[in-house]
Amino acid sequence: MAKHTPIILTPFLQPRDEGAAEQRMYVAGFTDEAGEAWGTLIPLDAEMVEHAVLGQQTFTVWGNSDGRIQPQPSSDSLFEELLEKGQLKETPLDELVAEAIEQGKNEPDEEILDLFETLHERLVRAEGMVADEIARRRR
């Protein structure tokens, strides 16, 4: 019998429409060494994939010194990859506060007033910490 060269297949999972702003489907399958797909591509619902993948990931929040906030996955390699791809959206702190106020505008006072007071107290504490750091560095 003639010896056949083994075919090495590599699994992949990728967005079905890589150019879309929001993915609705992913496809999974195998590619050969030349990058050609082999066999049947399996369509997967985006929400199911994202829950499976991100459900195992822990995110924290990173605050930059200029007041921009961004999500930060606990995996350094994932953080670097998402950062390079521009997928870790930074949001200025004041925009987050404005959004929190906007979302609470239609809530009854008895339900939202305590939350706004807590937000205010935290912002005052934060402003004091920043002012202290500025003063320390100017000495």
Side-chain angles (χ1 to χ4, degrees), residues 10-127:
T10 304
F12 73 90
L13 175 67
Q14 67 187 36
R16 184 171 69 181
D17 181 10
E18 292 195 34
E22 184 177 331
Q23 292 301 318
R24 300 222 182 270
M25 296 293 290
Y26 286 83
V27 291
F30 293 94
T31 60
D32 61 19
E33 292 172 322
E36 295 294 321
W38 277 63
T40 303
L41 296 181
I42 302 167
L44 300 166
D45 176 70
E47 188 173 325
M48 180 187 71
V49 170
E50 290 161 3
H51 280 235
V53 172
L54 295 176
Q56 305 302 314
Q57 184 60 244
T58 302
F59 282 83
T60 59
V61 177
W62 174 259
N64 295 306
S65 297
D66 66 355
R68 291 173 294 126
I69 309 295
Q70 75 183 80
Q72 182 175 18
S74 57
S75 164
D76 289 339
S77 62
L78 180 58
F79 175 74
E80 292 299 325
E81 184 176 334
L82 293 175
L83 192 60
E84 284 178 18
K85 290 180 176 180
Q87 293 179 317
L88 293 178
K89 179 184 175 199
E90 295 177 328
T91 304
L93 180 59
D94 55 319
E95 289 180 19
L96 287 174
V97 171
E99 181 64 27
I101 292 169
E102 185 61 35
Q103 288 182 12
K105 277 191 176 177
N106 294 325
E107 296 294 325
D109 289 344
E110 61 273 3
E111 292 180 19
I112 197 74
L113 193 54
D114 285 344
L115 297 174
F116 281 152
E117 287 172 348
T118 300
L119 174 61
H120 181 256
E121 290 167 8
R122 289 181 172 157
L123 290 170
V124 168
R125 273 197 314 272
E127 188 277 333

